[in-house]
Amino acid sequence: MTTAPLARAGHRRSEVGPVELFFDLVYVFAIIQISHLLIEHLSWIGAAQTVIVFAAVWWGWNYTAWAMNWLDPTRTPVQLLSGVLMLSALGMAIAIPTAFADGAWLFVGCYLFMGILRPVFMMIAYRGQQLAANYRMLLLWTLIAGVLWVAGAAFDDEWRLLLWLIAVVVDYAAPLAHYRIPGIGAAPMHTWDTDAEHLAERNRLVFIIALGESVLLMGGSIVEHGQLSGSLAISALVGFASLFVLWWNYFALAGPDTSGGDSSTGALRSAYAYAHAFMVLGAILVAVSIELRLTHDHLTPASILVTTVGPLVYLIGNVLFLQSRFGSLARSRFIAMGVLGLITVGALLSVHRLPVMVLSLAVLAVTATLAVLTARRR
């Protein structure tokens, strides 16, 4: 089989190019927008909208990272592609606050433009090869989901929420179904020749971006107070410790020394396309919870749930990652999730009497203990 002109060189297959790092910059803004969407709509409907918007933003980043798994980042056409995709991602990020209002068409238009441009580019770059046939099937699934995205943009309120939820399910189900369309074809996972280390590095970097957004939110909240009081300083210290142990936990689990696990494309799909979606969303929720605890003197049911659900969502990603790459049941993660569940119930029952700091320290104790145990075992 001949090598595609824009393919990565074998000896540089795992290298993350500068254009990939440049592309990720727009996701700093996107994650901040997602956080503010939840903060400003702290309700069940707001939570559902946030999850749907995050799912689309993550899938746009994820499919771009996978495409760059095969493309040479030093080639001019690839760099131009990255620039166009970055501009589209910026359009999505700008539309996030009004995605369920007047910004629906901008959000959907940019998302679908990215979803169509990527496979078309790959089909041309790898024409005559298996990867081109794979991307043809991916494009067909994107178009099927696109009908639902467009239909949702044409409706308002509940219908938009429902149609976009179904669209997300279709988008995320495509790899699990091997992009199979009866009578047309399929693209089984074993036909995608992926590089495990490149995907691992890309996902490590985007997780750091999610943590960086937490630092921005926390720093902005402290500056807005105008004066650093003793109680605010303690809250900021606990918030920073929460971010640090989340970073520590992640890199003890998914750091550079995670080689040797299952590197089949199916395992990588679960570990990076899906597991990291939970981990990044969990990091975003942790950032939102820190912001809420810094700006509010008392707890509410919503702030309690965000505070405990953030680490829970992150740990779900941990479990899926370990199961995908190493076949581990991650018993410590299940214990930690159980303790967080008990903390949630206790906090909700005493919501009007429980100090904010007590909840913060209780959650921090769970995540810090887990980080220490993970680091020791690695």
Side-chain angles (χ1 to χ4, degrees), residues 290-347:
I290 293 173
E291 165 78 5
L292 293 174
R293 283 175 281 156
L294 283 172
T295 56
H296 294 77
D297 296 327
H298 61 278
L299 293 172
T300 65
S303 63
I304 289 172
L305 288 174
V306 174
T307 300
T308 56
V309 168
L312 277 169
V313 171
Y314 170 79
L315 290 174
I316 291 172
N318 274 195
V319 170
L320 181 55
F321 178 85
L322 288 169
Q323 180 63 34
S324 302
R325 294 290 320 261
F326 305 104
S328 170
L329 291 177
R331 188 167 47 188
S332 61
R333 265 69 188 162
F334 287 110
I335 294 173
M337 286 190 282
V339 175
L340 287 170
L342 293 175
I343 291 174
T344 303
V345 173

Short mmCIF file of all heavy atoms in Angstrom, two decimals, residues 290-347:
data_model
loop_
_atom_site.label_atom_id
_atom_site.label_comp_id
_atom_site.label_asym_id
_atom_site.label_seq_id
_atom_site.Cartn_x
_atom_site.Cartn_y
_atom_site.Cartn_z
N ILE A 290 -15.83 25.00 42.70
CA ILE A 290 -14.91 25.92 43.39
C ILE A 290 -15.40 27.35 43.26
O ILE A 290 -15.41 28.12 44.23
CB ILE A 290 -13.49 25.77 42.83
CG1 ILE A 290 -12.91 24.40 43.19
CG2 ILE A 290 -12.57 26.88 43.37
CD1 ILE A 290 -11.59 24.10 42.53
N GLU A 291 -15.84 27.72 42.06
CA GLU A 291 -16.39 29.06 41.84
C GLU A 291 -17.59 29.31 42.74
O GLU A 291 -17.71 30.37 43.37
CB GLU A 291 -16.79 29.19 40.37
CG GLU A 291 -17.69 30.37 40.04
CD GLU A 291 -16.97 31.69 39.96
OE1 GLU A 291 -15.73 31.70 40.07
OE2 GLU A 291 -17.64 32.72 39.80
N LEU A 292 -18.50 28.35 42.84
CA LEU A 292 -19.70 28.51 43.67
C LEU A 292 -19.34 28.64 45.14
O LEU A 292 -19.93 29.45 45.87
CB LEU A 292 -20.65 27.33 43.45
CG LEU A 292 -21.30 27.23 42.07
CD1 LEU A 292 -22.11 25.93 41.96
CD2 LEU A 292 -22.21 28.43 41.79
N ARG A 293 -18.38 27.86 45.59
CA ARG A 293 -18.01 27.89 47.01
C ARG A 293 -17.24 29.16 47.37
O ARG A 293 -17.27 29.62 48.51
CB ARG A 293 -17.21 26.65 47.38
CG ARG A 293 -18.08 25.40 47.53
CD ARG A 293 -17.25 24.16 47.77
NE ARG A 293 -16.66 23.67 46.52
CZ ARG A 293 -15.56 22.93 46.46
NH1 ARG A 293 -14.89 22.65 47.55
NH2 ARG A 293 -15.12 22.50 45.30
N LEU A 294 -16.54 29.74 46.39
CA LEU A 294 -15.83 30.99 46.64
C LEU A 294 -16.77 32.19 46.68
O LEU A 294 -16.48 33.20 47.33
CB LEU A 294 -14.76 31.22 45.57
CG LEU A 294 -13.47 30.41 45.69
CD1 LEU A 294 -12.61 30.61 44.46
CD2 LEU A 294 -12.69 30.80 46.94
N THR A 295 -17.86 32.10 45.96
CA THR A 295 -18.76 33.26 45.81
C THR A 295 -20.03 33.15 46.66
O THR A 295 -20.85 34.07 46.64
CB THR A 295 -19.16 33.43 44.33
OG1 THR A 295 -19.75 32.21 43.85
CG2 THR A 295 -17.94 33.77 43.49
N HIS A 296 -20.22 32.06 47.39
CA HIS A 296 -21.42 31.90 48.21
C HIS A 296 -21.03 31.48 49.63
O HIS A 296 -20.15 30.65 49.82
CB HIS A 296 -22.36 30.83 47.61
CG HIS A 296 -22.94 31.24 46.28
ND1 HIS A 296 -22.22 31.18 45.10
CD2 HIS A 296 -24.17 31.71 45.96
CE1 HIS A 296 -22.98 31.60 44.09
NE2 HIS A 296 -24.16 31.93 44.58
N ASP A 297 -21.70 32.08 50.60
CA ASP A 297 -21.40 31.81 52.00
C ASP A 297 -22.18 30.63 52.56
O ASP A 297 -21.91 30.19 53.68
CB ASP A 297 -21.70 33.05 52.86
CG ASP A 297 -20.80 34.22 52.48
OD1 ASP A 297 -19.64 33.97 52.09
OD2 ASP A 297 -21.27 35.38 52.55
N HIS A 298 -23.15 30.15 51.82
CA HIS A 298 -23.96 29.03 52.31
C HIS A 298 -24.20 28.04 51.18
O HIS A 298 -24.08 28.37 50.01
CB HIS A 298 -25.30 29.55 52.85
CG HIS A 298 -26.12 30.26 51.81
ND1 HIS A 298 -25.91 31.57 51.47
CD2 HIS A 298 -27.15 29.82 51.02
CE1 HIS A 298 -26.77 31.93 50.52
NE2 HIS A 298 -27.52 30.89 50.23
N LEU A 299 -24.54 26.83 51.57
CA LEU A 299 -24.77 25.78 50.60
C LEU A 299 -26.22 25.77 50.12
O LEU A 299 -27.13 26.18 50.84
CB LEU A 299 -24.44 24.41 51.21
CG LEU A 299 -22.97 24.15 51.56
CD1 LEU A 299 -22.84 22.85 52.34
CD2 LEU A 299 -22.12 24.08 50.29
N THR A 300 -26.41 25.29 48.90
CA THR A 300 -27.73 25.01 48.35
C THR A 300 -27.70 23.59 47.81
O THR A 300 -26.62 23.03 47.58
CB THR A 300 -28.08 25.99 47.22
OG1 THR A 300 -27.16 25.77 46.13
CG2 THR A 300 -27.99 27.44 47.69
N PRO A 301 -28.85 22.97 47.59
CA PRO A 301 -28.83 21.63 46.99
C PRO A 301 -28.06 21.58 45.68
O PRO A 301 -27.33 20.61 45.42
CB PRO A 301 -30.32 21.32 46.79
CG PRO A 301 -31.01 22.09 47.87
CD PRO A 301 -30.22 23.37 47.99
N ALA A 302 -28.17 22.64 44.88
CA ALA A 302 -27.46 22.66 43.60
C ALA A 302 -25.95 22.70 43.80
O ALA A 302 -25.20 21.97 43.13
CB ALA A 302 -27.92 23.87 42.77
N SER A 303 -25.47 23.54 44.71
CA SER A 303 -24.02 23.65 44.92
C SER A 303 -23.47 22.37 45.54
O SER A 303 -22.33 21.96 45.25
CB SER A 303 -23.70 24.86 45.80
OG SER A 303 -24.28 24.72 47.09
N ILE A 304 -24.27 21.70 46.38
CA ILE A 304 -23.83 20.42 46.95
C ILE A 304 -23.66 19.38 45.85
O ILE A 304 -22.65 18.67 45.79
CB ILE A 304 -24.85 19.93 48.00
CG1 ILE A 304 -24.78 20.81 49.25
CG2 ILE A 304 -24.57 18.46 48.38
CD1 ILE A 304 -25.87 20.52 50.25
N LEU A 305 -24.64 19.30 44.98
CA LEU A 305 -24.60 18.30 43.90
C LEU A 305 -23.43 18.55 42.95
O LEU A 305 -22.74 17.61 42.55
CB LEU A 305 -25.92 18.30 43.14
CG LEU A 305 -27.12 17.69 43.89
CD1 LEU A 305 -28.40 17.87 43.10
CD2 LEU A 305 -26.88 16.21 44.18
N VAL A 306 -23.19 19.81 42.60
CA VAL A 306 -22.06 20.11 41.71
C VAL A 306 -20.75 19.73 42.39
O VAL A 306 -19.84 19.17 41.76
CB VAL A 306 -22.06 21.59 41.30
CG1 VAL A 306 -20.80 21.92 40.51
CG2 VAL A 306 -23.29 21.92 40.47
N THR A 307 -20.64 20.01 43.69
CA THR A 307 -19.40 19.73 44.43
C THR A 307 -19.08 18.25 44.48
O THR A 307 -17.91 17.84 44.35
CB THR A 307 -19.50 20.29 45.86
OG1 THR A 307 -19.70 21.72 45.80
CG2 THR A 307 -18.24 20.00 46.65
N THR A 308 -20.10 17.41 44.65
CA THR A 308 -19.85 15.97 44.78
C THR A 308 -19.95 15.24 43.44
O THR A 308 -19.24 14.25 43.23
CB THR A 308 -20.84 15.34 45.77
OG1 THR A 308 -22.20 15.62 45.34
CG2 THR A 308 -20.64 15.89 47.16
N VAL A 309 -20.79 15.73 42.54
CA VAL A 309 -20.95 15.05 41.25
C VAL A 309 -19.71 15.24 40.38
O VAL A 309 -19.35 14.35 39.60
CB VAL A 309 -22.21 15.55 40.52
CG1 VAL A 309 -22.24 15.10 39.06
CG2 VAL A 309 -23.46 15.04 41.23
N GLY A 310 -19.00 16.37 40.50
CA GLY A 310 -17.78 16.58 39.72
C GLY A 310 -16.78 15.45 39.90
O GLY A 310 -16.39 14.79 38.93
N PRO A 311 -16.35 15.17 41.14
CA PRO A 311 -15.44 14.03 41.35
C PRO A 311 -16.06 12.69 40.96
O PRO A 311 -15.35 11.80 40.48
CB PRO A 311 -15.16 14.09 42.86
CG PRO A 311 -15.40 15.50 43.25
CD PRO A 311 -16.51 15.97 42.37
N LEU A 312 -17.37 12.53 41.15
CA LEU A 312 -18.03 11.28 40.76
C LEU A 312 -17.94 11.04 39.26
O LEU A 312 -17.61 9.93 38.81
CB LEU A 312 -19.50 11.30 41.19
CG LEU A 312 -19.79 10.92 42.64
CD1 LEU A 312 -21.24 11.23 42.99
CD2 LEU A 312 -19.50 9.44 42.88
N VAL A 313 -18.21 12.07 38.47
CA VAL A 313 -18.13 11.95 37.02
C VAL A 313 -16.69 11.67 36.60
O VAL A 313 -16.43 10.82 35.73
CB VAL A 313 -18.64 13.24 36.33
CG1 VAL A 313 -18.37 13.22 34.83
CG2 VAL A 313 -20.14 13.39 36.57
N TYR A 314 -15.75 12.36 37.23
CA TYR A 314 -14.34 12.11 36.95
C TYR A 314 -13.97 10.65 37.23
O TYR A 314 -13.28 10.01 36.43
CB TYR A 314 -13.47 13.05 37.78
CG TYR A 314 -12.00 12.70 37.74
CD1 TYR A 314 -11.21 13.06 36.65
CD2 TYR A 314 -11.41 11.97 38.77
CE1 TYR A 314 -9.87 12.71 36.60
CE2 TYR A 314 -10.07 11.63 38.73
CZ TYR A 314 -9.31 12.00 37.65
OH TYR A 314 -7.99 11.64 37.60
N LEU A 315 -14.45 10.10 38.34
CA LEU A 315 -14.12 8.73 38.71
C LEU A 315 -14.77 7.71 37.78
O LEU A 315 -14.21 6.64 37.54
CB LEU A 315 -14.54 8.47 40.16
CG LEU A 315 -13.70 9.20 41.22
CD1 LEU A 315 -14.29 8.99 42.61
CD2 LEU A 315 -12.26 8.73 41.18
N ILE A 316 -15.93 8.02 37.25
CA ILE A 316 -16.54 7.15 36.23
C ILE A 316 -15.59 7.04 35.04
O ILE A 316 -15.38 5.95 34.49
CB ILE A 316 -17.91 7.69 35.80
CG1 ILE A 316 -18.92 7.55 36.94
CG2 ILE A 316 -18.41 6.95 34.56
CD1 ILE A 316 -20.25 8.23 36.67
N GLY A 317 -15.01 8.17 34.64
CA GLY A 317 -14.01 8.15 33.58
C GLY A 317 -12.80 7.32 33.95
O GLY A 317 -12.25 6.58 33.12
N ASN A 318 -12.36 7.43 35.20
CA ASN A 318 -11.24 6.62 35.69
C ASN A 318 -11.51 5.13 35.53
O ASN A 318 -10.68 4.36 35.03
CB ASN A 318 -11.00 6.90 37.18
CG ASN A 318 -10.11 8.09 37.43
OD1 ASN A 318 -9.62 8.26 38.53
ND2 ASN A 318 -9.88 8.92 36.44
N VAL A 319 -12.70 4.72 35.96
CA VAL A 319 -13.07 3.30 35.90
C VAL A 319 -13.08 2.81 34.46
O VAL A 319 -12.54 1.74 34.14
CB VAL A 319 -14.45 3.09 36.56
CG1 VAL A 319 -14.96 1.67 36.28
CG2 VAL A 319 -14.38 3.34 38.05
N LEU A 320 -13.67 3.61 33.56
CA LEU A 320 -13.74 3.22 32.16
C LEU A 320 -12.35 3.17 31.54
O LEU A 320 -12.03 2.27 30.75
CB LEU A 320 -14.64 4.19 31.39
CG LEU A 320 -14.84 3.91 29.89
CD1 LEU A 320 -15.37 2.50 29.66
CD2 LEU A 320 -15.78 4.94 29.28
N PHE A 321 -11.48 4.11 31.91
CA PHE A 321 -10.12 4.14 31.39
C PHE A 321 -9.34 2.89 31.81
O PHE A 321 -8.71 2.22 30.98
CB PHE A 321 -9.40 5.39 31.87
CG PHE A 321 -7.96 5.49 31.43
CD1 PHE A 321 -7.64 6.01 30.20
CD2 PHE A 321 -6.93 5.04 32.26
CE1 PHE A 321 -6.31 6.09 29.78
CE2 PHE A 321 -5.60 5.11 31.85
CZ PHE A 321 -5.30 5.64 30.61
N LEU A 322 -9.40 2.58 33.09
CA LEU A 322 -8.66 1.42 33.59
C LEU A 322 -9.19 0.11 33.01
O LEU A 322 -8.42 -0.79 32.68
CB LEU A 322 -8.73 1.39 35.12
CG LEU A 322 -7.88 2.45 35.84
CD1 LEU A 322 -8.23 2.50 37.31
CD2 LEU A 322 -6.41 2.20 35.64
N GLN A 323 -10.51 0.03 32.88
CA GLN A 323 -11.10 -1.17 32.32
C GLN A 323 -10.72 -1.33 30.85
O GLN A 323 -10.43 -2.43 30.38
CB GLN A 323 -12.63 -1.12 32.47
CG GLN A 323 -13.35 -2.33 31.90
CD GLN A 323 -12.99 -3.62 32.60
OE1 GLN A 323 -12.73 -3.64 33.80
NE2 GLN A 323 -12.95 -4.72 31.85
N SER A 324 -10.66 -0.22 30.11
CA SER A 324 -10.36 -0.27 28.68
C SER A 324 -8.91 -0.62 28.42
O SER A 324 -8.61 -1.47 27.59
CB SER A 324 -10.69 1.09 28.04
OG SER A 324 -12.03 1.44 28.23
N ARG A 325 -7.99 0.04 29.12
CA ARG A 325 -6.57 -0.15 28.84
C ARG A 325 -5.95 -1.33 29.56
O ARG A 325 -5.05 -1.99 29.04
CB ARG A 325 -5.77 1.11 29.22
CG ARG A 325 -6.02 2.36 28.44
CD ARG A 325 -5.53 2.38 27.00
NE ARG A 325 -4.26 1.78 26.70
CZ ARG A 325 -3.11 2.43 26.55
NH1 ARG A 325 -3.08 3.73 26.72
NH2 ARG A 325 -2.01 1.78 26.21
N PHE A 326 -6.41 -1.59 30.80
CA PHE A 326 -5.70 -2.57 31.63
C PHE A 326 -6.60 -3.68 32.18
O PHE A 326 -6.12 -4.55 32.90
CB PHE A 326 -5.01 -1.85 32.80
CG PHE A 326 -4.10 -0.75 32.35
CD1 PHE A 326 -4.47 0.57 32.46
CD2 PHE A 326 -2.87 -1.03 31.76
CE1 PHE A 326 -3.65 1.60 32.03
CE2 PHE A 326 -2.04 -0.02 31.32
CZ PHE A 326 -2.43 1.29 31.45
N GLY A 327 -7.90 -3.64 31.87
CA GLY A 327 -8.79 -4.68 32.35
C GLY A 327 -8.96 -4.70 33.85
O GLY A 327 -9.31 -5.70 34.46
N SER A 328 -8.70 -3.55 34.51
CA SER A 328 -8.78 -3.45 35.96
C SER A 328 -10.18 -3.04 36.41
O SER A 328 -10.83 -2.23 35.76
CB SER A 328 -7.75 -2.43 36.47
OG SER A 328 -7.94 -2.15 37.83
N LEU A 329 -10.62 -3.58 37.55
CA LEU A 329 -11.93 -3.22 38.09
C LEU A 329 -11.89 -1.95 38.92
O LEU A 329 -12.93 -1.40 39.26
CB LEU A 329 -12.47 -4.37 38.96
CG LEU A 329 -12.86 -5.65 38.21
CD1 LEU A 329 -13.31 -6.73 39.20
CD2 LEU A 329 -13.98 -5.36 37.22
N ALA A 330 -10.70 -1.46 39.26
CA ALA A 330 -10.53 -0.18 39.98
C ALA A 330 -11.40 -0.12 41.23
O ALA A 330 -12.23 0.76 41.39
CB ALA A 330 -10.85 0.99 39.04
N ARG A 331 -11.19 -1.08 42.14
CA ARG A 331 -12.02 -1.16 43.35
C ARG A 331 -11.94 0.12 44.18
O ARG A 331 -12.95 0.55 44.77
CB ARG A 331 -11.55 -2.37 44.18
CG ARG A 331 -12.43 -2.69 45.36
CD ARG A 331 -12.07 -4.06 45.92
NE ARG A 331 -10.61 -4.20 46.05
CZ ARG A 331 -10.03 -5.35 46.38
NH1 ARG A 331 -10.76 -6.44 46.55
NH2 ARG A 331 -8.72 -5.41 46.50
N SER A 332 -10.76 0.74 44.22
CA SER A 332 -10.62 1.97 45.01
C SER A 332 -11.53 3.08 44.50
O SER A 332 -12.04 3.88 45.28
CB SER A 332 -9.16 2.44 44.99
OG SER A 332 -8.74 2.72 43.66
N ARG A 333 -11.73 3.10 43.17
CA ARG A 333 -12.62 4.12 42.59
C ARG A 333 -14.07 3.90 43.02
O ARG A 333 -14.79 4.85 43.32
CB ARG A 333 -12.53 4.10 41.06
CG ARG A 333 -11.56 5.08 40.46
CD ARG A 333 -10.14 4.71 40.74
NE ARG A 333 -9.23 5.77 40.32
CZ ARG A 333 -8.00 5.88 40.74
NH1 ARG A 333 -7.51 5.01 41.60
NH2 ARG A 333 -7.23 6.86 40.32
N PHE A 334 -14.49 2.65 43.06
CA PHE A 334 -15.86 2.36 43.47
C PHE A 334 -16.07 2.71 44.95
O PHE A 334 -17.13 3.23 45.33
CB PHE A 334 -16.19 0.89 43.24
CG PHE A 334 -16.36 0.53 41.79
CD1 PHE A 334 -15.42 -0.25 41.14
CD2 PHE A 334 -17.47 0.99 41.09
CE1 PHE A 334 -15.59 -0.57 39.79
CE2 PHE A 334 -17.63 0.67 39.75
CZ PHE A 334 -16.70 -0.11 39.10
N ILE A 335 -15.06 2.45 45.78
CA ILE A 335 -15.16 2.82 47.19
C ILE A 335 -15.26 4.33 47.33
O ILE A 335 -16.09 4.85 48.09
CB ILE A 335 -13.94 2.28 47.97
CG1 ILE A 335 -13.96 0.76 47.99
CG2 ILE A 335 -13.93 2.83 49.40
CD1 ILE A 335 -12.71 0.13 48.59
N ALA A 336 -14.42 5.06 46.59
CA ALA A 336 -14.45 6.53 46.65
C ALA A 336 -15.80 7.06 46.18
O ALA A 336 -16.35 8.00 46.79
CB ALA A 336 -13.33 7.10 45.78
N MET A 337 -16.37 6.46 45.13
CA MET A 337 -17.68 6.90 44.66
C MET A 337 -18.75 6.65 45.71
O MET A 337 -19.66 7.46 45.90
CB MET A 337 -18.03 6.21 43.34
CG MET A 337 -17.25 6.74 42.14
SD MET A 337 -17.88 6.13 40.55
CE MET A 337 -17.18 4.48 40.53
N GLY A 338 -18.64 5.51 46.41
CA GLY A 338 -19.60 5.23 47.47
C GLY A 338 -19.52 6.24 48.60
O GLY A 338 -20.55 6.70 49.12
N VAL A 339 -18.30 6.60 49.01
CA VAL A 339 -18.12 7.59 50.07
C VAL A 339 -18.66 8.95 49.62
O VAL A 339 -19.33 9.65 50.40
CB VAL A 339 -16.63 7.70 50.46
CG1 VAL A 339 -16.43 8.83 51.47
CG2 VAL A 339 -16.13 6.38 51.04
N LEU A 340 -18.39 9.34 48.37
CA LEU A 340 -18.92 10.60 47.87
C LEU A 340 -20.45 10.59 47.85
O LEU A 340 -21.09 11.62 48.11
CB LEU A 340 -18.38 10.87 46.46
CG LEU A 340 -16.91 11.29 46.39
CD1 LEU A 340 -16.43 11.29 44.94
CD2 LEU A 340 -16.69 12.66 47.01
N GLY A 341 -21.03 9.45 47.54
CA GLY A 341 -22.49 9.33 47.58
C GLY A 341 -23.02 9.55 48.99
O GLY A 341 -24.04 10.24 49.18
N LEU A 342 -22.35 8.98 50.00
CA LEU A 342 -22.77 9.18 51.39
C LEU A 342 -22.62 10.65 51.80
O LEU A 342 -23.48 11.19 52.50
CB LEU A 342 -21.93 8.29 52.31
CG LEU A 342 -22.17 6.78 52.17
CD1 LEU A 342 -21.19 6.02 53.07
CD2 LEU A 342 -23.61 6.43 52.54
N ILE A 343 -21.53 11.28 51.36
CA ILE A 343 -21.33 12.70 51.67
C ILE A 343 -22.45 13.53 51.05
O ILE A 343 -22.97 14.47 51.67
CB ILE A 343 -19.96 13.17 51.15
CG1 ILE A 343 -18.83 12.53 51.97
CG2 ILE A 343 -19.85 14.69 51.19
CD1 ILE A 343 -17.44 12.81 51.43
N THR A 344 -22.84 13.19 49.83
CA THR A 344 -23.92 13.91 49.16
C THR A 344 -25.21 13.82 49.95
O THR A 344 -25.89 14.84 50.19
CB THR A 344 -24.14 13.34 47.74
OG1 THR A 344 -22.93 13.41 47.01
CG2 THR A 344 -25.22 14.13 47.01
N VAL A 345 -25.58 12.60 50.34
CA VAL A 345 -26.82 12.41 51.10
C VAL A 345 -26.77 13.18 52.42
O VAL A 345 -27.72 13.90 52.79
CB VAL A 345 -27.07 10.91 51.35
CG1 VAL A 345 -28.27 10.72 52.29
CG2 VAL A 345 -27.31 10.18 50.03
N GLY A 346 -25.65 13.06 53.14
CA GLY A 346 -25.52 13.76 54.41
C GLY A 346 -25.59 15.27 54.25
O GLY A 346 -26.23 15.95 55.06
N ALA A 347 -24.95 15.79 53.20
CA ALA A 347 -24.96 17.24 52.98
C ALA A 347 -26.35 17.73 52.61
O ALA A 347 -26.78 18.80 53.06
CB ALA A 347 -23.96 17.59 51.89
#
